[in-house]
mmCIF file of all heavy atoms in Angstrom:
data_model
loop_
_atom_site.group_PDB
_atom_site.id
_atom_site.type_symbol
_atom_site.label_atom_id
_atom_site.label_comp_id
_atom_site.label_asym_id
_atom_site.label_seq_id
_atom_site.Cartn_x
_atom_site.Cartn_y
_atom_site.Cartn_z
ATOM 1 N N ARG A 224 0.861 -1.182 -0.003
ATOM 2 C CA ARG A 224 0.001 -0.001 0.005
ATOM 3 C C ARG A 224 0.901 1.223 -0.001
ATOM 4 O O ARG A 224 1.707 1.385 0.915
ATOM 5 C CB ARG A 224 -0.868 0.050 1.256
ATOM 6 C CG ARG A 224 -1.889 -1.007 1.375
ATOM 7 C CD ARG A 224 -2.816 -0.610 2.502
ATOM 8 N NE ARG A 224 -3.172 -1.772 3.280
ATOM 9 C CZ ARG A 224 -3.925 -1.731 4.351
ATOM 10 N NH1 ARG A 224 -4.367 -0.603 4.809
ATOM 11 N NH2 ARG A 224 -4.230 -2.830 5.000
ATOM 12 N N ASP A 225 0.752 2.081 -0.995
ATOM 13 C CA ASP A 225 1.583 3.295 -1.088
ATOM 14 C C ASP A 225 3.057 2.951 -0.954
ATOM 15 O O ASP A 225 3.791 3.609 -0.210
ATOM 16 C CB ASP A 225 1.164 4.326 -0.043
ATOM 17 C CG ASP A 225 -0.278 4.767 -0.206
ATOM 18 O OD1 ASP A 225 -0.719 4.903 -1.363
ATOM 19 O OD2 ASP A 225 -0.958 4.971 0.814
ATOM 20 N N ALA A 226 3.502 1.892 -1.644
ATOM 21 C CA ALA A 226 4.900 1.443 -1.651
ATOM 22 C C ALA A 226 5.386 0.942 -0.287
ATOM 23 O O ALA A 226 6.592 0.893 -0.023
ATOM 24 C CB ALA A 226 5.826 2.523 -2.195
ATOM 25 N N VAL A 227 4.456 0.552 0.586
ATOM 26 C CA VAL A 227 4.802 0.020 1.911
ATOM 27 C C VAL A 227 4.237 -1.403 1.999
ATOM 28 O O VAL A 227 3.046 -1.618 1.761
ATOM 29 C CB VAL A 227 4.219 0.900 3.038
ATOM 30 C CG1 VAL A 227 4.435 0.259 4.404
ATOM 31 C CG2 VAL A 227 4.808 2.296 2.996
ATOM 32 N N ASP A 228 5.097 -2.378 2.346
ATOM 33 C CA ASP A 228 4.643 -3.756 2.501
ATOM 34 C C ASP A 228 3.682 -3.880 3.680
ATOM 35 O O ASP A 228 3.825 -3.210 4.697
ATOM 36 C CB ASP A 228 5.828 -4.694 2.722
ATOM 37 C CG ASP A 228 6.625 -4.932 1.448
ATOM 38 O OD1 ASP A 228 6.078 -4.701 0.359
ATOM 39 O OD2 ASP A 228 7.791 -5.348 1.573
ATOM 40 N N TYR A 229 2.700 -4.781 3.509
ATOM 41 C CA TYR A 229 1.689 -5.021 4.528
ATOM 42 C C TYR A 229 1.421 -6.510 4.581
ATOM 43 O O TYR A 229 1.201 -7.143 3.551
ATOM 44 C CB TYR A 229 0.405 -4.268 4.151
ATOM 45 C CG TYR A 229 -0.722 -4.410 5.125
ATOM 46 C CD1 TYR A 229 -0.839 -3.561 6.221
ATOM 47 C CD2 TYR A 229 -1.692 -5.382 4.952
ATOM 48 C CE1 TYR A 229 -1.885 -3.686 7.111
ATOM 49 C CE2 TYR A 229 -2.742 -5.522 5.842
ATOM 50 C CZ TYR A 229 -2.830 -4.661 6.914
ATOM 51 O OH TYR A 229 -3.868 -4.791 7.807
ATOM 52 N N GLY A 230 1.493 -7.089 5.778
ATOM 53 C CA GLY A 230 1.235 -8.522 5.898
ATOM 54 C C GLY A 230 1.665 -9.091 7.226
ATOM 55 O O GLY A 230 1.404 -8.510 8.287
ATOM 56 N N ASN A 231 2.363 -10.229 7.170
ATOM 57 C CA ASN A 231 2.743 -10.983 8.364
ATOM 58 C C ASN A 231 4.233 -10.820 8.661
ATOM 59 O O ASN A 231 5.018 -10.471 7.788
ATOM 60 C CB ASN A 231 2.434 -12.467 8.164
ATOM 61 C CG ASN A 231 0.993 -12.693 7.805
ATOM 62 O OD1 ASN A 231 0.096 -12.276 8.518
ATOM 63 N ND2 ASN A 231 0.758 -13.352 6.689
ATOM 64 N N LEU A 232 4.570 -11.137 9.903
ATOM 65 C CA LEU A 232 5.966 -11.066 10.344
ATOM 66 C C LEU A 232 6.205 -12.211 11.321
ATOM 67 O O LEU A 232 5.349 -12.505 12.158
ATOM 68 C CB LEU A 232 6.194 -9.722 11.055
ATOM 69 C CG LEU A 232 7.616 -9.275 11.313
ATOM 70 C CD1 LEU A 232 8.311 -8.958 9.993
ATOM 71 C CD2 LEU A 232 7.595 -8.007 12.170
ATOM 72 N N LEU A 233 7.351 -12.848 11.189
ATOM 73 C CA LEU A 233 7.761 -13.883 12.132
ATOM 74 C C LEU A 233 9.042 -13.418 12.807
ATOM 75 O O LEU A 233 10.008 -13.061 12.127
ATOM 76 C CB LEU A 233 7.997 -15.216 11.412
ATOM 77 C CG LEU A 233 8.604 -16.345 12.243
ATOM 78 C CD1 LEU A 233 7.727 -16.713 13.431
ATOM 79 C CD2 LEU A 233 8.877 -17.575 11.362
ATOM 80 N N LEU A 234 9.043 -13.387 14.119
ATOM 81 C CA LEU A 234 10.210 -13.021 14.922
ATOM 82 C C LEU A 234 10.617 -14.244 15.738
ATOM 83 O O LEU A 234 9.760 -14.902 16.334
ATOM 84 C CB LEU A 234 9.869 -11.869 15.860
ATOM 85 C CG LEU A 234 9.429 -10.583 15.158
ATOM 86 C CD1 LEU A 234 8.570 -9.746 16.067
ATOM 87 C CD2 LEU A 234 10.628 -9.816 14.681
ATOM 88 N N THR A 235 11.925 -14.563 15.747
ATOM 89 C CA THR A 235 12.365 -15.777 16.423
ATOM 90 C C THR A 235 13.700 -15.557 17.129
ATOM 91 O O THR A 235 14.527 -14.757 16.691
ATOM 92 C CB THR A 235 12.546 -16.931 15.426
ATOM 93 O OG1 THR A 235 13.662 -16.658 14.590
ATOM 94 C CG2 THR A 235 11.307 -17.129 14.578
ATOM 95 N N ARG A 236 13.897 -16.287 18.197
ATOM 96 C CA ARG A 236 15.191 -16.258 18.879
ATOM 97 C C ARG A 236 16.190 -17.163 18.159
ATOM 98 O O ARG A 236 17.395 -16.945 18.231
ATOM 99 C CB ARG A 236 15.042 -16.680 20.327
ATOM 100 C CG ARG A 236 14.117 -15.744 21.094
ATOM 101 C CD ARG A 236 14.528 -15.511 22.509
ATOM 102 N NE ARG A 236 13.551 -14.664 23.166
ATOM 103 C CZ ARG A 236 13.536 -13.337 23.129
ATOM 104 N NH1 ARG A 236 14.476 -12.695 22.467
ATOM 105 N NH2 ARG A 236 12.612 -12.645 23.736
ATOM 106 N N LEU A 237 15.700 -18.197 17.468
ATOM 107 C CA LEU A 237 16.549 -19.119 16.709
ATOM 108 C C LEU A 237 16.530 -18.730 15.236
ATOM 109 O O LEU A 237 15.501 -18.303 14.723
ATOM 110 C CB LEU A 237 16.008 -20.559 16.807
ATOM 111 C CG LEU A 237 16.010 -21.226 18.163
ATOM 112 C CD1 LEU A 237 15.314 -22.570 18.066
ATOM 113 C CD2 LEU A 237 17.438 -21.419 18.646
ATOM 114 N N PRO A 238 17.648 -18.924 14.539
ATOM 115 C CA PRO A 238 17.612 -18.702 13.094
ATOM 116 C C PRO A 238 16.872 -19.858 12.412
ATOM 117 O O PRO A 238 16.970 -21.007 12.833
ATOM 118 C CB PRO A 238 19.090 -18.693 12.701
ATOM 119 C CG PRO A 238 19.778 -19.464 13.769
ATOM 120 C CD PRO A 238 18.986 -19.262 15.031
ATOM 121 N N ALA A 239 16.128 -19.539 11.375
ATOM 122 C CA ALA A 239 15.398 -20.565 10.623
ATOM 123 C C ALA A 239 16.343 -21.306 9.692
ATOM 124 O O ALA A 239 17.268 -20.723 9.137
ATOM 125 C CB ALA A 239 14.278 -19.913 9.828
ATOM 126 N N LYS A 240 16.100 -22.590 9.532
ATOM 127 C CA LYS A 240 16.852 -23.398 8.566
ATOM 128 C C LYS A 240 16.277 -23.224 7.167
ATOM 129 O O LYS A 240 16.984 -23.332 6.168
ATOM 130 C CB LYS A 240 16.806 -24.882 8.951
ATOM 131 C CG LYS A 240 17.462 -25.198 10.267
ATOM 132 C CD LYS A 240 18.958 -25.009 10.168
ATOM 133 C CE LYS A 240 19.615 -25.408 11.483
ATOM 134 N NZ LYS A 240 21.040 -25.111 11.485
ATOM 135 N N GLN A 241 14.970 -22.984 7.108
ATOM 136 C CA GLN A 241 14.285 -22.820 5.819
ATOM 137 C C GLN A 241 13.086 -21.905 6.034
ATOM 138 O O GLN A 241 12.395 -22.005 7.052
ATOM 139 C CB GLN A 241 13.817 -24.173 5.299
ATOM 140 C CG GLN A 241 13.102 -24.128 3.985
ATOM 141 C CD GLN A 241 12.613 -25.511 3.560
ATOM 142 O OE1 GLN A 241 12.393 -26.392 4.400
ATOM 143 N NE2 GLN A 241 12.435 -25.701 2.262
ATOM 144 N N VAL A 242 12.836 -21.005 5.073
ATOM 145 C CA VAL A 242 11.677 -20.124 5.110
ATOM 146 C C VAL A 242 11.022 -20.145 3.734
ATOM 147 O O VAL A 242 11.700 -19.985 2.719
ATOM 148 C CB VAL A 242 12.069 -18.677 5.480
ATOM 149 C CG1 VAL A 242 10.850 -17.765 5.480
ATOM 150 C CG2 VAL A 242 12.758 -18.635 6.835
ATOM 151 N N ILE A 243 9.708 -20.364 3.720
ATOM 152 C CA ILE A 243 8.947 -20.411 2.474
ATOM 153 C C ILE A 243 7.787 -19.438 2.576
ATOM 154 O O ILE A 243 7.042 -19.446 3.567
ATOM 155 C CB ILE A 243 8.411 -21.831 2.208
ATOM 156 C CG1 ILE A 243 9.541 -22.849 2.179
ATOM 157 C CG2 ILE A 243 7.606 -21.875 0.908
ATOM 158 C CD1 ILE A 243 9.083 -24.285 2.226
ATOM 159 N N ALA A 244 7.615 -18.607 1.558
ATOM 160 C CA ALA A 244 6.475 -17.692 1.487
ATOM 161 C C ALA A 244 5.368 -18.351 0.679
ATOM 162 O O ALA A 244 5.623 -18.956 -0.366
ATOM 163 C CB ALA A 244 6.902 -16.390 0.827
ATOM 164 N N HIS A 245 4.144 -18.253 1.189
ATOM 165 C CA HIS A 245 2.976 -18.822 0.501
ATOM 166 C C HIS A 245 1.985 -17.722 0.184
ATOM 167 O O HIS A 245 1.644 -16.928 1.066
ATOM 168 C CB HIS A 245 2.276 -19.871 1.383
ATOM 169 C CG HIS A 245 3.108 -21.059 1.704
ATOM 170 N ND1 HIS A 245 3.283 -22.105 0.825
ATOM 171 C CD2 HIS A 245 3.835 -21.366 2.818
ATOM 172 C CE1 HIS A 245 4.068 -23.013 1.396
ATOM 173 N NE2 HIS A 245 4.411 -22.590 2.595
ATOM 174 N N ASP A 246 1.515 -17.694 -1.045
ATOM 175 C CA ASP A 246 0.440 -16.775 -1.440
ATOM 176 C C ASP A 246 -0.871 -17.510 -1.216
ATOM 177 O O ASP A 246 -1.129 -18.540 -1.852
ATOM 178 C CB ASP A 246 0.609 -16.388 -2.906
ATOM 179 C CG ASP A 246 -0.462 -15.427 -3.384
ATOM 180 O OD1 ASP A 246 -1.343 -15.026 -2.582
ATOM 181 O OD2 ASP A 246 -0.429 -15.048 -4.574
ATOM 182 N N LEU A 247 -1.682 -17.008 -0.308
ATOM 183 C CA LEU A 247 -2.965 -17.644 0.019
ATOM 184 C C LEU A 247 -4.144 -16.824 -0.500
ATOM 185 O O LEU A 247 -5.278 -16.989 -0.040
ATOM 186 C CB LEU A 247 -3.101 -17.826 1.531
ATOM 187 C CG LEU A 247 -2.045 -18.686 2.221
ATOM 188 C CD1 LEU A 247 -2.309 -18.749 3.712
ATOM 189 C CD2 LEU A 247 -1.988 -20.067 1.619
ATOM 190 N N SER A 248 -3.873 -15.945 -1.437
ATOM 191 C CA SER A 248 -4.904 -15.044 -1.936
ATOM 192 C C SER A 248 -6.015 -15.811 -2.651
ATOM 193 O O SER A 248 -5.766 -16.803 -3.346
ATOM 194 C CB SER A 248 -4.307 -14.031 -2.900
ATOM 195 O OG SER A 248 -3.325 -13.262 -2.235
ATOM 196 N N VAL A 249 -7.242 -15.335 -2.470
ATOM 197 C CA VAL A 249 -8.421 -15.881 -3.132
ATOM 198 C C VAL A 249 -8.955 -14.782 -4.041
ATOM 199 O O VAL A 249 -9.117 -13.639 -3.579
ATOM 200 C CB VAL A 249 -9.481 -16.301 -2.081
ATOM 201 C CG1 VAL A 249 -10.784 -16.700 -2.750
ATOM 202 C CG2 VAL A 249 -8.947 -17.424 -1.202
ATOM 203 N N PRO A 250 -9.197 -15.073 -5.318
ATOM 204 C CA PRO A 250 -9.682 -14.043 -6.236
ATOM 205 C C PRO A 250 -10.904 -13.296 -5.676
ATOM 206 O O PRO A 250 -11.814 -13.906 -5.122
ATOM 207 C CB PRO A 250 -10.041 -14.823 -7.497
ATOM 208 C CG PRO A 250 -9.159 -16.028 -7.457
ATOM 209 C CD PRO A 250 -9.054 -16.376 -5.983
ATOM 210 N N GLY A 251 -10.877 -11.982 -5.797
ATOM 211 C CA GLY A 251 -11.987 -11.156 -5.337
ATOM 212 C C GLY A 251 -11.933 -10.804 -3.863
ATOM 213 O O GLY A 251 -12.797 -10.098 -3.359
ATOM 214 N N ARG A 252 -10.939 -11.305 -3.161
ATOM 215 C CA ARG A 252 -10.802 -11.047 -1.719
ATOM 216 C C ARG A 252 -9.480 -10.323 -1.465
ATOM 217 O O ARG A 252 -8.617 -10.262 -2.344
ATOM 218 C CB ARG A 252 -10.835 -12.352 -0.913
ATOM 219 C CG ARG A 252 -12.049 -13.242 -1.158
ATOM 220 C CD ARG A 252 -13.342 -12.641 -0.699
ATOM 221 N NE ARG A 252 -13.304 -12.483 0.759
ATOM 222 C CZ ARG A 252 -14.255 -11.909 1.471
ATOM 223 N NH1 ARG A 252 -15.309 -11.421 0.876
ATOM 224 N NH2 ARG A 252 -14.152 -11.821 2.769
ATOM 225 N N GLU A 253 -9.296 -9.804 -0.246
ATOM 226 C CA GLU A 253 -8.037 -9.138 0.104
ATOM 227 C C GLU A 253 -6.881 -10.126 0.004
ATOM 228 O O GLU A 253 -7.010 -11.276 0.437
ATOM 229 C CB GLU A 253 -8.139 -8.603 1.539
ATOM 230 C CG GLU A 253 -6.905 -7.856 1.995
ATOM 231 C CD GLU A 253 -7.061 -7.290 3.400
ATOM 232 O OE1 GLU A 253 -7.975 -6.483 3.631
ATOM 233 O OE2 GLU A 253 -6.248 -7.670 4.272
ATOM 234 N N PRO A 254 -5.738 -9.702 -0.545
ATOM 235 C CA PRO A 254 -4.589 -10.615 -0.634
ATOM 236 C C PRO A 254 -4.164 -11.124 0.754
ATOM 237 O O PRO A 254 -4.200 -10.385 1.730
ATOM 238 C CB PRO A 254 -3.492 -9.730 -1.237
ATOM 239 C CG PRO A 254 -4.207 -8.638 -1.930
ATOM 240 C CD PRO A 254 -5.457 -8.391 -1.118
ATOM 241 N N ARG A 255 -3.769 -12.381 0.793
ATOM 242 C CA ARG A 255 -3.323 -13.027 2.039
ATOM 243 C C ARG A 255 -2.065 -13.829 1.753
ATOM 244 O O ARG A 255 -1.823 -14.265 0.637
ATOM 245 C CB ARG A 255 -4.397 -13.953 2.601
ATOM 246 C CG ARG A 255 -5.729 -13.303 2.900
ATOM 247 C CD ARG A 255 -5.663 -12.411 4.111
ATOM 248 N NE ARG A 255 -6.950 -11.760 4.329
ATOM 249 C CZ ARG A 255 -7.300 -11.179 5.467
ATOM 250 N NH1 ARG A 255 -6.464 -11.174 6.492
ATOM 251 N NH2 ARG A 255 -8.468 -10.599 5.579
ATOM 252 N N SER A 256 -1.275 -14.026 2.794
ATOM 253 C CA SER A 256 -0.032 -14.790 2.654
ATOM 254 C C SER A 256 0.235 -15.569 3.929
ATOM 255 O O SER A 256 -0.450 -15.392 4.933
ATOM 256 C CB SER A 256 1.140 -13.850 2.356
ATOM 257 O OG SER A 256 1.403 -13.028 3.472
ATOM 258 N N ALA A 257 1.261 -16.406 3.866
ATOM 259 C CA ALA A 257 1.718 -17.154 5.047
ATOM 260 C C ALA A 257 3.232 -17.261 4.970
ATOM 261 O O ALA A 257 3.825 -17.287 3.899
ATOM 262 C CB ALA A 257 1.092 -18.539 5.094
ATOM 263 N N ILE A 258 3.848 -17.317 6.141
ATOM 264 C CA ILE A 258 5.277 -17.571 6.268
ATOM 265 C C ILE A 258 5.408 -18.954 6.911
ATOM 266 O O ILE A 258 4.879 -19.191 8.000
ATOM 267 C CB ILE A 258 5.970 -16.549 7.195
ATOM 268 C CG1 ILE A 258 5.694 -15.121 6.771
ATOM 269 C CG2 ILE A 258 7.472 -16.830 7.277
ATOM 270 C CD1 ILE A 258 6.075 -14.097 7.838
ATOM 271 N N GLU A 259 6.090 -19.850 6.237
ATOM 272 C CA GLU A 259 6.378 -21.173 6.788
ATOM 273 C C GLU A 259 7.871 -21.213 7.087
ATOM 274 O O GLU A 259 8.686 -20.897 6.224
ATOM 275 C CB GLU A 259 6.013 -22.261 5.775
ATOM 276 C CG GLU A 259 6.361 -23.651 6.225
ATOM 277 C CD GLU A 259 6.060 -24.693 5.165
ATOM 278 O OE1 GLU A 259 5.675 -24.329 4.031
ATOM 279 O OE2 GLU A 259 6.253 -25.878 5.471
ATOM 280 N N ALA A 260 8.222 -21.584 8.304
ATOM 281 C CA ALA A 260 9.634 -21.628 8.686
ATOM 282 C C ALA A 260 9.929 -22.921 9.433
ATOM 283 O O ALA A 260 9.115 -23.399 10.217
ATOM 284 C CB ALA A 260 9.984 -20.416 9.556
ATOM 285 N N VAL A 261 11.112 -23.463 9.168
ATOM 286 C CA VAL A 261 11.554 -24.692 9.817
ATOM 287 C C VAL A 261 12.760 -24.372 10.683
ATOM 288 O O VAL A 261 13.694 -23.683 10.250
ATOM 289 C CB VAL A 261 11.920 -25.769 8.768
ATOM 290 C CG1 VAL A 261 12.430 -27.032 9.446
ATOM 291 C CG2 VAL A 261 10.724 -26.076 7.877
ATOM 292 N N PHE A 262 12.734 -24.881 11.912
ATOM 293 C CA PHE A 262 13.802 -24.667 12.888
ATOM 294 C C PHE A 262 14.308 -26.016 13.354
ATOM 295 O O PHE A 262 13.600 -27.008 13.310
ATOM 296 C CB PHE A 262 13.275 -23.870 14.088
ATOM 297 C CG PHE A 262 12.724 -22.535 13.700
ATOM 298 C CD1 PHE A 262 11.390 -22.403 13.339
ATOM 299 C CD2 PHE A 262 13.521 -21.417 13.678
ATOM 300 C CE1 PHE A 262 10.877 -21.175 12.956
ATOM 301 C CE2 PHE A 262 13.019 -20.192 13.293
ATOM 302 C CZ PHE A 262 11.697 -20.068 12.932
ATOM 303 N N GLN A 263 15.532 -26.044 13.838
ATOM 304 C CA GLN A 263 16.136 -27.270 14.351
ATOM 305 C C GLN A 263 16.671 -26.993 15.762
ATOM 306 O O GLN A 263 17.876 -26.920 15.977
ATOM 307 C CB GLN A 263 17.260 -27.737 13.427
ATOM 308 C CG GLN A 263 17.727 -29.142 13.670
ATOM 309 C CD GLN A 263 16.751 -30.177 13.137
ATOM 310 O OE1 GLN A 263 16.224 -30.043 12.054
ATOM 311 N NE2 GLN A 263 16.514 -31.207 13.922
ATOM 312 N N PRO A 264 15.764 -26.866 16.757
ATOM 313 C CA PRO A 264 16.222 -26.535 18.100
ATOM 314 C C PRO A 264 16.894 -27.702 18.828
ATOM 315 O O PRO A 264 17.564 -27.496 19.825
ATOM 316 C CB PRO A 264 14.929 -26.125 18.817
ATOM 317 C CG PRO A 264 13.854 -26.841 18.090
ATOM 318 C CD PRO A 264 14.315 -26.946 16.657
#
């Protein structure tokens, strides 16, 4: 919006081993997304 990103954020104490962005948008609805992250604690 107005050149500013809007969505989700993941904050962690451990670094992620893998991060995948998912577009969950449904046509005609507000755009949605998900962050999938894998950790090895």
